[in-house]
Amino acid sequence: MSAFQIPEPVMPTPEQHRKASLQWLQRVQPTLIDQWPSELMALSVPTNMVKIDVDAAWQSLCDLHDQRGISDYLKDLAAELDQQIRWDRKFIRLNSRSPKDAPWPFEVPATISGKEAVHMLVGSMRVMDDLMEFRWVPEQPAYVCLRQYVPSIRPDMEFRCFVKDGHLIAVTHYDYTKPAPTWIVESKQTIRNAIDCYFAEKIRPALHLDTVVFDVAMIGVEGLLLIEINPYGLSDPCHFGTYEAVENANDHIQTHASSRERKEG
């Protein structure tokens, strides 16, 4: 019997890398914050954007992985972020996604420090994945987005909303890691009515997409605030578990795990 042999790995060519990244860009580009229409941005929080030198950032990440220390580029980026932040707490993210998977002690990716913001970014696999994609599509810039931090946005007050062909077809409580608060379960119809009105009167007229996912937060008596938009089919369906369940929603707001097997987007 011949010995089992593991075949030599075959690395993708630059052409294959770019083809895959172009497919990624086609799906996510309309939802990138720098692509939002001004009318949509006006529904969310004030945001400043700092352009990233993606090649320099990627090499810096490789240097960190090889324990060569933080690069001059990352030090300069931290300094530029400090100039923009000006000791005013900001929520940190790329124009694509946030570094919410960055390790402790960052419960929420928000800070008053450019250096801490850089640590959040380089500690996130989500950020590394997206920077790899941005490397192969240089026609689409990557940005660090400094978003005004709103302390009254609480995880238990956030909702993910699914729009298909211009219609709001489903809403789920965002935090599916724990049961939804009792008051939300008991107020599903009232909350959904408010979200439906907000969508019809504010979001739909400003949206540049017919099929998309958007997240909103309830802000006390002030009403609803748009947090972000994301690609339909790629974004986590939260309590629904699958997009099949999303498209067969039969409740005002999904507040518990769907009976269908969970498939994260």
Side-chain angles (χ1 to χ4, degrees):
M1 179 180 295
S2 60
F4 176 75
Q5 293 184 337
I6 299 177
E8 289 290 328
V10 178
M11 298 299 292
T13 65
E15 292 77 15
Q16 291 170 327
H17 268 301
R18 177 163 169 79
K19 180 179 180 181
S21 294
L22 282 170
Q23 292 173 343
W24 168 83
L25 183 63
Q26 184 178 21
R27 297 195 70 177
V28 307
Q29 188 173 37
T31 64
L32 300 178
I33 290 182
D34 60 294
Q35 300 293 317
W36 290 18
S38 58
E39 297 82 2
L40 191 67
M41 184 64 78
L43 300 176
S44 194
V45 297
T47 302
N48 291 337
M49 287 181 267
V50 175
K51 190 174 181 180
I52 300 172
D53 182 332
V54 177
D55 286 334
W58 185 255
Q59 184 58 53
S60 298
L61 292 173
C62 293
D63 290 346
L64 281 173
H65 180 74
D66 293 337
Q67 298 183 340
R68 296 174 186 165
I70 190 166
S71 70
D72 289 340
Y73 174 72
L74 291 183
K75 292 176 184 177
D76 291 342
L77 178 60
E80 185 172 1
L81 295 179
D82 271 331
Q83 291 180 0
Q84 294 283 338
I85 293 171
R86 295 183 179 277
W87 299 101
D88 183 16
R89 190 170 172 84
K90 303 294 186 184
F91 185 92
I92 309 299
R93 57 166 293 165
L94 293 186
N95 49 328
S96 54
R97 291 191 292 179
S98 71
K100 65 181 183 181
D101 60 329
W104 182 91
F106 307 119
E107 293 182 9
V108 175
T111 183
I112 61 172
S113 162
K115 184 177 180 180
E116 200 166 70
V118 167
H119 279 293
M120 292 175 184
L121 295 169
V122 301
S124 168
M125 287 303 300
R126 287 157 53 96
V127 168
M128 288 189 69
D129 286 347
D130 287 0
L131 286 178
M132 171 60 84
E133 302 289 5
F134 280 118
R135 285 188 73 207
W136 295 101
V137 284
E139 60 269 33
Q140 169 56 59
Y143 296 93
V144 178
C145 298
L146 306 174
R147 313 206 75 201
Q148 186 63 49
Y149 180 68
V150 182
S152 54
I153 294 180
R154 295 170 17 204
D156 62 332
M157 302 284 278
E158 294 182 32
F159 299 88
R160 174 153 285 184
C161 310
F162 301 84
V163 179
K164 187 173 184 182
D165 299 327
H167 300 285
L168 179 57
I169 63 170
V171 176
T172 177
H173 188 242
Y174 185 83
D175 186 1
Y176 59 85
T177 64
K178 57 180 72 72
T182 301
W183 75 268
I184 287 179
V185 175
E186 294 175 347
S187 305
K188 287 181 182 180
Q189 185 170 356
T190 300
I191 296 171
R192 178 61 186 267
N193 287 344
I195 292 175
D196 284 345
C197 289
Y198 184 66
F199 172 71
E201 296 173 6
K202 301 290 186 178
I203 292 183
R204 186 70 193 98
L207 263 180
H208 55 305
L209 298 166
D210 290 329
T211 300
V212 72
V213 175
F214 69 90
D215 296 340
V216 294
M218 295 185 67
I219 309 293
V221 296
E222 299 175 16
L224 294 164
L225 175 70
L226 176 66
I227 300 174
E228 63 183 18
I229 63 174
N230 292 289
Y232 188 95
L234 292 182
S235 307
D236 194 323
C238 299
H239 279 299
F240 284 113
T242 68
Y243 273 79
E244 179 186 1
V246 167
E247 296 183 1
N248 289 281
N250 58 10
D251 200 354
H252 297 292
I253 296 176
Q254 190 75 16
T255 56
H256 59 276
S258 169
S259 59
R260 294 174 172 84
E261 181 181 358
R262 179 173 182 77
K263 297 179 180 177
E264 293 198 9

